[in-house]
């Protein structure tokens, strides 16, 4: 996928700053920002995909990219073709008048000042009228002696100058002269003002919930007029005119039909009856507008966690509770591609957080692990996210995360599903195409359900439902023709066409996603950095903070999908803090790390400190066992919350640390990934062990260049 990179965009790859100078469908060429950092670097799309999932890749958008991201869908303009004829003629007249002025200005005959226009006004108006005579005649033949169509009166010099500046500001688009609203001319009155007011007051009885008939309201209104005239006769006042019942019925026909329907049938029914299609949203490029929502699936599943179901005996499986699951989804409105999908047991902000993260990453590996054959490489940075005001999307965390990622969030009014028609239509498609084939489905009412035993036929599990939805999305929905796309294109085909034409904004790097979507905690750092989940994380900025602010806590954020690094907040900026000796931790998920910790706890229950080789052997063992499950866990709700992570840190990981070596392996410049480890040259018998106070402090990557590694206490 080719992203529209700008020259001022910055890519930090393994600590070196680059800019993209060339890219194709297969590779990207990066040039160092500083010539002293070496030569250009060419990476394939596979290598870039690998780097995006690691902490060795950072993407910092430049000013031009940020300006493009801030561009909203308000660039659309009014069409002259659909305007009222009078408004269209007036707009074209003003446009031609401005273009005549532009001709004089381009020839340096006038300047754009009021004084210059007034001085040269006869020449400007004369040239414009001559052009108007030719334009009004048109291409048709003229008869001798026939008069030309009447011409409009020219604008004053000061007004023309304002119109020209407005036209130039809007890139010479004549539709800017169309009025924003057009006032509909009212019907002519046949009776006096008092009579019309009396009729209008009485025919309101038609627009009520009682739903009286039109003829009955007209008869009552006419009788009320006769009674009013009798009262006026007793007082010696002039009587009102009395129209016929048919005339009053015509006055009722003049009432706004939508307002009448609102009062007679209710706002929801009126909106459904009078809702019109305006052709959909005016969208241009992928990820311009992303709609996200939650849906209570019309299917019952068995509530169980991944990995437990297969271990339960048959009698206990019957006692597992079941119910309807919630499906979270995000869809790109321009291409109808589904960007994210998640299943959970209840609406919550943590699932909304995971869905937002899926929009930013390639999900092909997860789709393949679920059994799909196609690719799911629709991702990038969205420009606008539309959601309802549910608790999951209106949470402070979700709004803050969207803002930090550089996107805008919009909450259309509630109870108007057509304002989020793309995502609502998707859930309707799921109801029609998937649920009829699944056992344990539910129905909208008892009549539709009939004798179908939904509870007795509930046999699917959470994992199976997730796999079914994933396969349907990747291999069916994305590949089938879509009636809402031009020419009946498939969503996948439309995505590739628009990406090739307009491009997609590069997704933020892992550190930015961690700050936006990660879970926040507070820890007091030490000389080795911040400790979380029995791992120590450090960076030069954190070491400097610790030296100046001993004993003061810092804020850190962790992303459960990769615990190889964390983000720490120093003052107002967030910095990347990798794990010490964390090569094996890079790409490790929190789910697998809890399995590693349980393995270490059961093996070394009596020890408070474990060695790095012990940890690494446990990691490799767990990776070999749960590799396939690791790929699928992004689609299945792992029930992560800040409280759950705090519990794991204090209980499962509490009291267990890893003994880091004094000298970590040194990086090799030629190695593309990881670090080259060479055999140690130390003497086999170094002599008696020193006390803890005599040990030199580790010189890890956390120590900044030029800073002493010793302390005053040493």
């Amino acid at each position: 996928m080719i992203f529209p990179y700008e020259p001022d965009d910055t890519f930090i790859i393994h600590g070196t700053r680059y800019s993209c100078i060339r890219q194709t469908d297969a590779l990207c060429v990066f040039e160092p920002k500083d010539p002293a950092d070496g030569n250009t670097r060419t990476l394939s799309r596979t290598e870039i995909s690998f780097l995006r999932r690691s902490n060795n890749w950072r993407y910092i958008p430049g000013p031009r990219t940020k300006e493009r991201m801030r561009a909203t869908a308000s660039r659309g303009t009014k069409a002259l073709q659909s305007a009222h004829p009078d408004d269209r003629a007036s707009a074209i007249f003003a446009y031609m008048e401005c273009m005549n002025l532009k001709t004089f200005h381009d020839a340096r005959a006038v300047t754009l000042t009021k004084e210059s226009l007034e001085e040269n006004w006869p020449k400007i108006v004369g040239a414009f009228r001559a052009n108007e005579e030719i334009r009004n005649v048109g291409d048709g033949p003229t008869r001798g002696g026939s008069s030309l169509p009447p011409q409009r009166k020219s604008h004053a010099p000061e007004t023309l100058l304002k119109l020209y500046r407005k036209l130039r500001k809007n890139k010479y688009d004549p539709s800017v002269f169309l009025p924003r609203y057009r006032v509909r001319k009212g019907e002519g009155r046949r009776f006096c003002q008092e009579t019309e007011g009396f009729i209008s007051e009485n025919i309101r009885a038609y627009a009520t919930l009682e739903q009286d008939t039109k003829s009955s309201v007209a008869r009552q209104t006419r009788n009320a007029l006769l009674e009013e005239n009798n009262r006026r006769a007793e007082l010696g006042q002039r009587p009102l005119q009395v129209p016929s019942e048919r005339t009053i019925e015509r006055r009722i026909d003049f009432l706004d039909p939508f307002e009448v329907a609102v009062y007679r049938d209710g706002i929801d029914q009126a909106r459904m009856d009078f809702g019109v299609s305006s052709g959909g949203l005016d969208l241009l490029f992928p990820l311009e507008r992303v709609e996200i929502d939650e849906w209570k699936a019309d299917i019952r599943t068995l509530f169980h966690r991944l990995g437990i179901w297969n271990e339960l005996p048959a009698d206990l499986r019957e006692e597992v509770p079941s119910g309807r699951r919630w499906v979270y989804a995000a869809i790109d409105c321009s291409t109808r591609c589904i960007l994210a999908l998640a299943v959970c047991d209840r609406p919550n902000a943590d699932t909304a957080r995971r869905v937002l993260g899926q929009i930013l990453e390639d999900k092909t590996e997860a789709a393949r692990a679920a059994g799909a054959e196609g690719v799911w490489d629709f991702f990038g940075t969205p420009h606008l996210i539309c959601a309802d005001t549910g608790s999951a999307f209106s949470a402070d965390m979700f709004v803050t995360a969207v803002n930090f990622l550089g996107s805008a969030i919009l909450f259309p009014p509630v109870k108007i599903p057509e304002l989020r028609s793309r995502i609502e239509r998707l859930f309707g498609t799921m109801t029609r195409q998937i649920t009829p084939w699944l056992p344990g489905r539910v129905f909208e009412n008892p009549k539709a359900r009939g004798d179908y035993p939904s509870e007795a036929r509930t046999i699917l599990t959470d994992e199976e439902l997730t796999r079914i939805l994933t396969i349907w999305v990747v291999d069916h929905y994305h590949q089938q023709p879509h009636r809402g796309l031009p020419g009946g294109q498939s969503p996948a085909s439309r995505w590739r066409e628009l990406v090739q034409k307009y491009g997609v904004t590069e997704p933020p790097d892992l550190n930015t996603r961690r700050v936006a979507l990660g879970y926040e905690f507070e820890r007091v750092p030490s000389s080795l950095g911040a400790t979380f989940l029995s791992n120590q994380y450090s960076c030069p900025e954190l070491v400097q903070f610790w030296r100046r602010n001993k004993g003061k806590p810092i804020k850190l954020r962790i992303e459960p999908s990769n615990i190889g690094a964390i983000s720490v907040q120093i003052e107002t900026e967030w910095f990347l803090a990798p794990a010490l000796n964390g090569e094996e931790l890079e790409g490790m998920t929190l789910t697998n790390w809890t399995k590693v910790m349980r393995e270490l706890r059961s093996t070394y229950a009596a020890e408070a400190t474990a060695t790095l080789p012990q940890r690494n052997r446990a990691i490799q063992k767990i990776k070999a066992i749960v590799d396939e499950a690791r790929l699928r866990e992004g689609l299945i709700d792992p029930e992560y919350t800040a409280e759950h992570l705090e519990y794991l840190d204090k209980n499962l990981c509490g009291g267990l640390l890893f003994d880091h070596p004094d000298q970590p392996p040194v990086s090799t410049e030629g190695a593309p990934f990881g670090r080259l480890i060479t055999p140690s040259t130390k003497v086999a018998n170094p002599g008696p062990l020193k006390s803890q106070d005599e040990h030199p402090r580790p010189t890890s990557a956390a120590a900044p260049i030029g800073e002493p590694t010793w302390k005053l206490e040493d």
Side-chain angles (χ1 to χ4, degrees), residues 446-467:
K447 181 179 180 180
R449 175 179 177 177
D451 296 332
Y452 184 83
S454 300
E455 293 80 1
R457 294 183 61 83
T458 302
I459 60 175
L460 293 178
T461 63
D462 300 336
E463 179 184 357
E464 291 167 343
L465 176 60
T466 303
R467 292 169 66 92

Side-chain angles (χ1 to χ4, degrees), residues 313-467:
D315 56 338
L316 292 182
R317 290 186 183 184
E318 298 178 356
E319 300 179 4
V320 173
S322 63
R324 295 173 64 181
R325 282 300 202 190
W326 287 82
V327 175
Y328 278 71
I331 188 172
D332 174 48
C333 296
S334 300
T335 63
R336 308 300 201 278
C337 286
I338 300 177
L339 306 174
L341 186 68
V343 178
C344 62
D345 58 350
R346 63 188 183 282
N348 60 87
D350 293 304
T351 304
R353 180 204 311 251
R354 292 195 305 109
V355 169
L356 187 59
Q358 288 184 27
I359 300 175
L360 309 175
E361 61 186 14
D362 189 347
K363 299 163 284 292
T364 299
E365 292 186 3
R368 296 285 174 80
E373 299 179 2
V375 296
W376 200 358
D377 57 348
F378 313 126
F379 67 101
T381 300
H383 291 242
L384 176 66
I385 293 180
C386 294
D388 60 16
T389 54
S391 59
F393 307 121
S394 61
D396 293 349
M397 179 279 302
F398 188 82
V399 177
T400 304
V402 172
N403 178 263
F404 190 83
L405 293 172
S407 305
I409 187 170
L410 180 66
F411 296 101
V414 297
K415 293 185 179 181
I416 308 181
E418 54 266 30
L419 296 182
R420 290 175 286 106
S421 59
R422 305 295 193 268
I423 192 68
E424 296 292 344
R425 175 62 64 183
L426 171 63
F427 292 146
T429 302
M430 289 184 177
T431 302
R432 295 192 311 271
Q433 296 188 7
I434 298 181
T435 55
W437 299 93
L438 301 181
R441 62 173 301 197
V442 297
F443 299 84
E444 62 273 12
N445 54 62
K447 181 179 180 180
R449 175 179 177 177
D451 296 332
Y452 184 83
S454 300
E455 293 80 1
R457 294 183 61 83
T458 302
I459 60 175
L460 293 178
T461 63
D462 300 336
E463 179 184 357
E464 291 167 343
L465 176 60
T466 303
R467 292 169 66 92

